[in-house]
Coordinates of all heavy atoms in Angstrom, one line a residue:
C63 N 0.9 -1.2 0.0 CA -0.1 0.0 0.0 C 0.9 1.2 0.0 O 1.6 1.5 1.0 CB -0.9 0.0 1.2 SG -1.9 1.5 1.4
V64 N 0.9 1.9 -1.1 CA 1.7 3.2 -1.3 C 0.8 4.3 -0.9 O -0.3 4.5 -1.4 CB 2.2 3.3 -2.7 CG1 3.0 4.6 -2.7 CG2 3.1 2.1 -3.0
V65 N 1.3 5.1 0.0 CA 0.5 6.3 0.6 C 1.1 7.6 0.0 O 2.4 7.7 -0.1 CB 0.5 6.4 2.1 CG1 -0.4 7.4 2.7 CG2 0.2 5.0 2.6
S66 N 0.2 8.6 -0.3 CA 0.6 9.8 -0.9 C 1.3 10.8 0.0 O 1.7 11.9 -0.4 CB -0.5 10.5 -1.6 OG -1.5 10.8 -0.7
R67 N 1.4 10.5 1.3 CA 2.0 11.4 2.2 C 2.8 10.5 3.2 O 2.6 9.3 3.3 CB 1.1 12.3 3.0 CG 0.0 11.6 3.8 CD -0.8 12.6 4.6 NE 0.1 13.3 5.6 CZ -0.2 14.5 6.1 NH1 -1.3 15.1 5.7 NH2 0.6 15.0 7.0
S68 N 3.6 11.1 4.1 CA 4.3 10.4 5.1 C 3.4 9.5 6.0 O 2.5 10.0 6.7 CB 5.0 11.4 6.0 OG 5.7 10.8 7.1
I69 N 3.7 8.3 6.0 CA 2.9 7.3 6.8 C 3.2 7.5 8.3 O 2.5 7.2 9.2 CB 3.0 5.9 6.5 CG1 4.5 5.3 6.5 CG2 2.5 5.6 5.1 CD1 4.6 3.9 6.2
F70 N 4.4 8.2 8.6 CA 4.7 8.4 10.0 C 3.7 9.5 10.6 O 3.6 9.5 11.8 CB 6.2 8.8 10.1 CG 6.6 8.8 11.5 CD1 6.9 7.6 12.2 CD2 6.9 10.0 12.2 CE1 7.3 7.7 13.6 CE2 7.3 10.1 13.5 CZ 7.5 8.9 14.1
S71 N 3.2 10.2 9.7 CA 2.2 11.3 10.2 C 0.8 10.7 10.5 O 0.0 11.4 11.1 CB 2.1 12.4 9.2 OG 1.5 11.9 8.0
M72 N 0.6 9.4 10.1 CA -0.7 8.8 10.3 C -0.7 8.3 11.7 O 0.2 7.7 12.2 CB -0.9 7.7 9.3 CG -0.6 8.1 7.8 SD -1.8 9.3 7.2 CE -3.2 8.3 6.7
H73 N -1.9 8.4 12.3 CA -2.1 7.8 13.6 C -1.9 6.2 13.5 O -1.3 5.6 14.4 CB -3.5 8.0 14.1 CG -3.7 9.5 14.4 ND1 -2.8 10.4 14.9 CD2 -4.7 10.3 14.1 CE1 -3.2 11.6 15.0 NE2 -4.4 11.6 14.5
A74 N -2.4 5.6 12.5 CA -2.3 4.2 12.3 C -2.5 3.8 10.8 O -3.1 4.6 10.1 CB -3.4 3.5 13.2
M75 N -1.9 2.7 10.4 CA -2.2 2.2 9.1 C -2.7 0.7 9.3 O -2.2 -0.1 10.2 CB -0.9 2.1 8.3 CG -0.3 3.5 7.9 SD -1.4 4.4 6.9 CE -1.6 3.4 5.5
G76 N -3.6 0.4 8.5 CA -4.1 -1.0 8.6 C -4.5 -1.6 7.3 O -4.7 -1.1 6.3
W77 N -4.8 -2.9 7.5 CA -5.4 -3.7 6.4 C -6.7 -4.3 6.8 O -6.8 -4.8 8.0 CB -4.4 -4.9 5.9 CG -3.2 -4.4 5.2 CD1 -2.1 -4.2 5.8 CD2 -3.2 -4.2 3.8 NE1 -1.1 -3.8 4.8 CE2 -1.8 -3.8 3.6 CE3 -4.0 -4.2 2.7 CZ2 -1.4 -3.4 2.3 CZ3 -3.6 -3.9 1.4 CH2 -2.2 -3.5 1.3
Y78 N -7.7 -4.2 6.0 CA -9.0 -4.7 6.2 C -9.4 -5.6 5.0 O -8.8 -5.5 4.0 CB -10.1 -3.6 6.3 CG -9.9 -2.8 7.6 CD1 -8.9 -1.9 7.7 CD2 -10.8 -2.9 8.6 CE1 -8.7 -1.1 8.9 CE2 -10.7 -2.1 9.9 CZ -9.7 -1.3 9.9 OH -9.5 -0.5 11.1
R79 N -10.4 -6.5 5.2 CA -10.9 -7.3 4.1 C -12.4 -7.4 4.1 O -13.0 -7.3 5.2 CB -10.2 -8.6 4.1 CG -10.6 -9.5 5.3 CD -9.7 -10.8 5.2 NE -10.0 -11.7 6.3 CZ -9.3 -12.8 6.6 NH1 -8.3 -13.2 5.9 NH2 -9.7 -13.6 7.7
Q80 N -12.9 -7.6 2.9 CA -14.4 -7.9 2.8 C -14.6 -9.0 1.9 O -14.2 -8.8 0.7 CB -15.0 -6.5 2.4 CG -16.6 -6.7 2.5 CD -17.2 -5.3 2.3 OE1 -16.6 -4.4 1.9 NE2 -18.5 -5.3 2.7
A81 N -15.2 -10.0 2.4 CA -15.6 -11.2 1.6 C -17.0 -11.0 1.1 O -17.8 -10.2 1.7 CB -15.5 -12.5 2.4
P82 N -17.4 -11.6 0.0 CA -18.8 -11.5 -0.5 C -19.8 -11.8 0.5 O -19.8 -12.8 1.1 CB -18.9 -12.5 -1.7 CG -17.4 -12.6 -2.1 CD -16.6 -12.4 -0.9
G83 N -20.8 -10.8 0.7 CA -21.8 -11.0 1.6 C -21.5 -10.9 3.1 O -22.3 -11.1 4.0
K84 N -20.3 -10.4 3.3 CA -19.8 -10.2 4.7 C -19.4 -8.7 5.0 O -19.2 -8.0 4.0 CB -18.7 -11.1 5.1 CG -19.1 -12.6 5.0 CD -17.9 -13.5 5.6 CE -18.3 -14.9 5.6 NZ -17.2 -15.7 6.2
Q85 N -19.4 -8.3 6.2 CA -18.9 -7.0 6.5 C -17.4 -6.9 6.4 O -16.7 -7.9 6.6 CB -19.3 -6.6 8.0 CG -20.8 -6.5 8.1 CD -21.2 -5.9 9.5 OE1 -20.5 -6.2 10.5 NE2 -22.3 -5.1 9.6
R86 N -17.0 -5.7 6.3 CA -15.5 -5.5 6.2 C -15.0 -5.7 7.6 O -15.6 -5.3 8.6 CB -15.2 -4.0 5.7 CG -13.8 -3.7 5.4 CD -13.6 -2.4 4.9 NE -14.3 -2.3 3.6 CZ -14.1 -1.2 2.7 NH1 -13.3 -0.2 3.1 NH2 -14.8 -1.2 1.6
E87 N -13.8 -6.4 7.7 CA -13.3 -6.7 9.0 C -11.7 -6.3 9.0 O -11.0 -6.4 8.1 CB -13.4 -8.2 9.3 CG -12.6 -9.1 8.3 CD -12.8 -10.5 8.7 OE1 -13.5 -10.8 9.7 OE2 -12.1 -11.4 8.0
L88 N -11.3 -6.0 10.2 CA -9.9 -5.7 10.5 C -9.0 -7.0 10.3 O -9.3 -8.0 10.8 CB -9.7 -5.2 11.8 CG -8.3 -4.9 12.2 CD1 -7.7 -3.8 11.5 CD2 -8.2 -4.6 13.8
V89 N -8.0 -6.8 9.5 CA -7.0 -7.9 9.5 C -5.8 -7.6 10.3 O -5.4 -8.5 11.1 CB -6.5 -8.1 7.9 CG1 -5.5 -9.2 7.9 CG2 -7.7 -8.4 7.1

């Protein structure tokens, strides 16, 4: 995941996923 600004300035970075028919969930 390439971010357009400094990721150190972000409070947090994360990955989520969403399967068909399911809610998006934190990975």
